[in-house]
Amino acid sequence: MASLPRITVVTPSYNQGKFIGRTIESVLAQNYPNLEHIVVDGMSTDETPAVLAQYPHLRALREPDCGQADAINKGFRHATGDIYCFLNSDDTLLPGALQRVAREIDPARGRHLVVGRCIHVDEDDRPTGMEHPSAPVSPARLLQVWNVHCVPQPATFWTAEAWRHCGPMDESEQLVLDYDLMCRFSRRYRFHAIDQVLATYRLHTRSKSCSTKPGDIYDRATVVSRRYWGPRWRARYWRALLSLALFRLERRCGRRQRAAQLTAAGHQALAAGLRWRSLVCRARAALLAPEAACRRWLLFGAGPLLRRWLPRAPTSALTWRSRRLPPVASAWRSFTGQHPDGHVGPVFTTTIHTRPGASLLQLDGVVTFPGPLPQPLIVDVALDGQPVARGRITTPGPFSLSVSAEGLASGAHELAVTSSWFAVSDDFWGNADFRPLSFLLRGIRWSGEAHAADAYRRTAGGP
């Protein structure tokens, strides 16, 4: 165990006595033997000093500071670790995080930065079902922060060498200081992604994310991003400029939303036999959002023909490992409920209650994919972790799966439904709906019961 690298966790603190004990306990619970935890408190006036006094292992620095960046810099000036991270006084680490980081980070293989997944929790530590919207990004994409290409700070770790080359924090930056640091890291090092939830990010009324308007945060992040675009003769500069221009156009006039409405109107007109009106609507939609029109043509026009001759040609079927998955869609990775419109994603879980004499459970769904399925949809059903049924759906439309419940004891049981792929509506409609959707769940019922989709959604399927 002595060979494990030393990890330094720095926690900046000011009047977060309600939460800081949970932060410290989450670090202690790692049971990591080569650990240094430094808390830099800016002379809190709440219960923080009393909480800190309960933990003699801490290296606590209590003195006035000039803000969060100043506190973090102070902590790292005292750090003796090989690996660094900073964990705010209202966030937590999840079990096994430091052990996983110690295995993954490796300067000899060029791994100076590792980044995992991070879930949102509320004031009472309850997961919201949403994650920090992030995905592995290149330096060029990280600069496009307005497209939610960002890095989850509580789940990001780096070597002491990376800090020496890219730190310290910019003490003049108060709102997006972590984003500024990540931009500097990305200019020299590659982010190594870990597919594991490493930390929680707490959302509460006093947190920076909740007390500041999202638009203000992204506007400030855009100002920071411009520092790293580089000279105008580089392609990175012009890619960032074009992306920002399209984003601002969308925010000002709702270009893609309007195009999605026109596309829907075009389909309605075609169904009513009004071909010319349909053509005009779809042409206007293509002019407003040519990228969405191009994707639709590739998915539903040329796509089936391409896949006939090139079976490995890209399709609209996505998994969590798909390279083109929008980062904002990855925010739904921890969501396992049913959306208000009845759709479910690649993993859906709920609790069912067995009834006396009931032996067959019926799952009714509809594949709403607008066109031929890019590949069969495999739906696996498990009860209490044990596989009990599998369905293979090859065409859009309604389907049913029968699940045997013979021998199942009376009472509550966990039902899990896993789908082999999902689609993101924005990919082909450009409607800013980034939810990963697999099918519409109409209901789960015991054989012989009346179909009651609405009642099911009210009782068991809500998010």
Side-chain angles (χ1 to χ4, degrees), residues 23-32 35 93-96:
T23 300
I24 297 169
E25 289 289 346
S26 78
V27 178
L28 272 177
Q30 298 292 307
N31 291 319
Y32 189 82
L35 176 67
L93 295 178
L94 292 180

Side-chain angles (χ1 to χ4, degrees), residues 340-351:
D341 63 1
H343 281 87
V344 297
V347 178
F348 168 71
T349 60
T350 190
T351 299

Side-chain angles (χ1 to χ4, degrees), residues 353-375:
H353 296 269
T354 56
R355 301 193 174 194
S359 60
L360 197 64
L361 193 67
Q362 195 81 12
L363 185 149
D364 300 311
V366 181
V367 178
T368 57
F369 191 86
L373 298 190
Q375 63 189 54

Side-chain angles (χ1 to χ4, degrees), residues 80-84 105 112 158-165:
T80 62
D82 307 298
I83 300 172
Y84 290 176
I105 209 163
H112 285 267
W158 55 90
T159 61
E161 177 186 333
W163 177 259
R164 286 194 296 270
H165 285 296

Side-chain angles (χ1 to χ4, degrees), residues 147-159:
N147 288 329
V148 203
H149 295 154
C150 45
V151 176
Q153 168 268 312
T156 305
F157 300 77
W158 55 90
T159 61

Side-chain angles (χ1 to χ4, degrees), residues 244-369:
L244 179 58
L246 289 174
F247 170 78
R248 285 178 169 169
L249 179 63
E250 172 63 30
R251 189 163 67 171
R252 185 174 302 154
C253 64
R255 172 183 65 94
R256 287 162 62 89
Q257 290 281 7
R258 178 60 181 152
Q261 293 169 0
L262 285 168
T263 301
H267 282 281
Q268 292 172 1
L270 185 62
L274 304 173
R275 296 192 177 186
W276 279 107
R277 181 177 295 180
S278 173
L279 183 62
V280 169
C281 287
R282 286 186 288 179
R284 290 175 62 192
L287 288 173
L288 274 174
E291 72 280 14
C294 182
R295 281 201 297 267
R296 279 197 301 276
W297 179 76
L298 288 172
L299 293 174
F300 308 129
L305 182 61
L306 281 174
R307 288 192 293 275
R308 184 180 303 173
W309 299 102
L310 299 170
R312 295 179 180 241
T315 73
S316 52
L318 298 170
T319 68
W320 290 124
R321 296 185 181 275
S322 299
R323 291 185 178 182
R324 67 183 181 87
L325 182 71
V328 70
S330 71
W332 295 93
R333 294 189 67 169
S334 294
F335 181 81
T336 59
Q338 185 177 26
H339 296 285
D341 63 1
H343 281 87
V344 297
V347 178
F348 168 71
T349 60
T350 190
T351 299
I352 62 168
H353 296 269
T354 56
R355 301 193 174 194
S359 60
L360 197 64
L361 193 67
Q362 195 81 12
L363 185 149
D364 300 311
V366 181
V367 178
T368 57
F369 191 86

Side-chain angles (χ1 to χ4, degrees), residues 392-414:
R392 187 175 188 271
I393 298 98
T394 58
T395 57
F399 69 90
S400 291
L401 283 179
S402 296
V403 180
S404 174
E406 292 232 5
L408 200 64
S410 297
H413 300 273
E414 183 185 69

